[in-house]
Amino acid sequence: MKEKQLKKWMKHSKLEIKIPDFEENVMDAIQKKEASEKSVWRNIRWSWFFFLVGLILGLMATNLFSNFTFPFLGKNANLLLLVFEILVVVIFATQFDKLIRFTFRK
């Protein structure tokens, strides 16, 4: 008797969705979400690549500027180089922090 009543209850609890193409819409949404997640990871990889390229170019530019002499600046040439080096370090430190946070966020 209990089994028959349980089956009867289960038939009444069945959820019928009256929206046409509901399953297709849900599957399309799932596929779009997966594609966007793959796109995000691809963009993160490119961000790391360009960060490293920029870091190498920044170090090379700093090295090149340290080898140049600026006779028209006199004693201020070292100050200009120091300001440039500080600017490069601050830019790369902030970008590195943002990239780390974006890569390892949940």
Side-chain angles (χ1 to χ4, degrees), residues 84-103:
F84 179 75
E85 288 174 350
I86 290 173
L87 182 67
V88 168
V89 168
V90 167
I91 289 173
F92 283 111
T94 57
Q95 293 304 312
F96 181 70
D97 180 50
K98 288 180 183 179
L99 197 54
I100 287 287
R101 289 175 192 246
F102 190 70
T103 301

Side-chain angles (χ1 to χ4, degrees), residues 1 4-5 8 15 26 29 47 50 61 71 73 91 95 106:
M1 180 77 172
K4 288 181 183 180
Q5 192 165 2
K8 185 178 175 183
L15 178 63
V26 170
S47 297
F50 285 116
L73 292 175
I91 289 173
Q95 293 304 312
K106 293 184 180 181

